[in-house]
Amino acid sequence: MALKGLIIVGVLALILQGFTKKDSSSKDKFIGLQLYSLRDDMTKDPKGTVEKVGEMGYSFVETAGYKDGKFYGMEPLEFKKLCEDNGLQFLGSHTGQNLPTMETWDTTMAWWDTAIEAHKAAGVTWIVQPWMSEEGYSSLAGLKEYMKYFNAVGEKCNAKGIKFGYHNHDKEFTTVFDGKPLYDYMLELSDPDKMMFQLDLYWITKGGKDPVKYFEKYPGRFMIWHIKDEKELGESGEMDFHRIFKYEKESGLKYGVVEVENYDFTPLESVKMSLEYMEKSNF
């Protein structure tokens, strides 16, 4: 009986392992899509496009269509339901406002109050601003004002249980103040408790910098990555994703978001190919 019991336990353990072990090449990966990748499709047919994204096998979406309290013209709960009905979580959003002046500060902050309430109603985890106006690039003094502003926005987001962050392009690395890239100042002037960073792996590379070096210098600051290539993921041969993903823990990564801005195929085909690349990769 003892031997039989051990055999049964062993078989049960193997079965359990089969259900719980994550195969890095399987569709169990938790991968999101930035819907800017399908900007034209989302403008023409947002509901049909979200349905197609769900059918592809993405796990969640990040929007680029917030305006006046709505997402792609839909109320927050309506858009959230649309995503969930198609097997998707609505986790993040790109939106924002330019640096306010003293005269426009209150108006800008009121805009943020409305936006944050809409995002809270939709249940999002983060809001990311993916740009700065010229003041942020023209001088270190201007950038410092931007970071005070971003810290204030981050404090408002925190109060509602939402993370606030910034998404880079290449200009943050090619703009230099006193021998230091602008992006370094952003990391150093921002309050880690109020602001995280969404690192776009393609744009930092195009800006001439190594993402791994930033993970080592500023560990834990990069909660989200935009996983991007020149076109479809893996097609250019320029992005060493295998090397970069070895540092995901050190970076602070919690969410990986695919974004495709340029295409060799239709946008829908391109984002599907990019998901398939991620599913087949062993990182």
Side-chain angles (χ1 to χ4, degrees), residues 84-95:
E84 292 177 348
D85 286 348
N86 288 283
L88 297 161
Q89 295 182 41
F90 175 22
L91 291 188
S93 172
H94 274 199
T95 191

Side-chain angles (χ1 to χ4, degrees), residues 177-201:
F177 299 130
D178 298 329
K180 184 187 293 187
L182 180 155
Y183 197 69
D184 294 50
Y185 283 106
M186 295 187 77
L187 284 154
E188 292 166 11
L189 293 169
S190 57
D191 184 339
D193 293 329
K194 298 175 182 177
M195 187 174 175
M196 56 83 177
F197 286 81
Q198 181 182 71
L199 188 69
D200 188 300
L201 301 179

